[in-house]
Amino acid sequence: AQSVTQLDSQVPVFEEAPVELRCNYSSSVSVYLFWYVQYPNQGLQLLLKYLSGSTLVKGINGFEAEFNKSQTSFHLRKPSVHISDTAEYFCAVTPNDYKLSFGAGTTVTVRA
Amino acid sequence: EAGVAQSPRYKIIEKRQSVAFWCNPISGHATLYWYQQILGQGPKLLIQFQNNGVVDDSQLPKDRFSAERLKGVDSTLKIQPAKLEDSAVYLCASSLIVGTHEQYFGPGTRLTVT
């Protein structure tokens, strides 16, 4: 079975500052990794995914994430956030490409 | 293209009542998922359909939850009877085929059981 731990439940950040959201996972097999964003009263939207290849993955809206197999981590970063990045962010893993296991989420609040 | 549609968006019922949620996936998407998202937690998969057949319902509480996907398009999720702990957002997602990592989510139905 797989499990996902998002180390920060809430991250307040000022506009134009960088942000990092931490995600660690546990699995006995190789996994695929994802970050989803959920804006208020909306469904989840895929930000980026790691399937194979380069461990640095670039996604939409200026986000990127780095897969670290030895540390079983997949941290999400953005160098400069906007007010519109205020949302909840979910890390997810799957061993077989469809049954996603999600973390509990990190709420990002961007302040002017 | 139109996204995944869900209705109703909000529902309040009393415990022991029944409730049904509806989902219309993206046109052409063969795979449909229902997730339960309890406040403060990530979504949890309840059931997955491939066309009108069930692929995985291992986490569906079958004594009170049921789901169907007639004709391989729309789907309904039913709870009967509801319990207080069923209060959650119910998300529907769809993907082109099983085994693809690109799931598209609807806005969800927020259920409150009082």
Side-chain angles (χ1 to χ4, degrees):
Chain A
Q2 292 71 43
S3 67
V4 179
T5 302
Q6 291 186 239
L7 298 164
D8 308 288
S9 60
Q10 303 215 18
V11 174
V13 58
F14 286 106
E15 194 174 19
E16 297 184 8
V19 70
E20 178 180 77
L21 309 184
R22 298 177 293 166
C23 172
N24 286 97
Y25 69 93
S26 172
S27 177
S28 57
V29 299
S30 296
V31 294
Y32 302 104
L33 298 134
F34 308 82
W35 275 99
Y36 282 84
V37 60
Q38 187 174 31
Y39 299 105
N41 297 315
Q42 295 186 29
L44 279 72
Q45 180 183 0
L46 183 65
L47 270 180
L48 50 77
K49 59 189 180 234
Y50 173 78
L51 305 180
S52 63
S54 172
T55 57
L56 183 62
V57 179
K58 294 189 182 299
I60 61 171
N61 301 339
F63 284 93
E64 64 180 32
E66 185 153 21
F67 170 56
N68 187 318
K69 188 174 182 179
S70 63
Q71 297 187 4
T72 60
S73 68
F74 190 53
H75 300 335
L76 180 70
R77 301 184 185 95
K78 185 170 182 177
S80 175
V81 296
H82 304 290
I83 298 289
S84 59
D85 292 321
T86 293
E88 191 155 20
Y89 294 79
F90 292 95
C91 181
V93 303
T94 176
N96 58 9
D97 215 20
Y98 77 87
K99 190 170 182 178
L100 293 169
S101 295
F102 286 88
T106 298
T107 301
V108 173
T109 304
V110 181
R111 302 167 179 168
Chain B
E1 73 184 353
V4 176
Q6 290 187 248
S7 68
R9 291 296 312 276
Y10 305 91
K11 189 75 177 178
I12 301 174
I13 62 172
E14 294 182 352
K15 59 184 179 183
R16 292 187 289 274
Q17 286 186 325
S18 57
V19 64
F21 312 128
W22 173 83
C23 172
N24 181 240
I26 293 173
S27 178
H29 281 197
T31 308
L32 185 146
Y33 313 79
W34 282 103
Y35 289 86
Q36 180 191 57
Q37 186 179 13
I38 293 172
L39 186 65
Q41 299 179 21
K44 182 186 80 172
L45 180 68
L46 291 175
I47 189 168
Q48 179 194 346
F49 291 94
Q50 174 72 8
N51 295 310
N52 59 350
V54 175
V55 174
D56 186 340
D57 63 357
S58 57
Q59 297 196 84
L60 187 74
K62 299 180 186 65
D63 57 334
R64 298 184 301 106
F65 286 64
S66 64
E68 61 181 9
R69 190 182 184 199
L70 299 176
K71 300 181 182 179
V73 182
D74 294 3
S75 177
T76 55
L77 177 69
K78 298 178 182 178
I79 307 175
Q80 182 179 2
K83 293 185 176 181
L84 296 177
E85 58 261 37
D86 298 331
S87 293
V89 175
Y90 290 85
L91 295 165
C92 179
S94 69
S95 63
L96 202 53
I97 56 173
V98 69
T100 180
H101 33 267
E102 192 80 46
Q103 294 186 23
Y104 296 83
F105 285 80
T109 296
R110 182 176 299 277
L111 173 67
T112 302
V113 183
T114 63

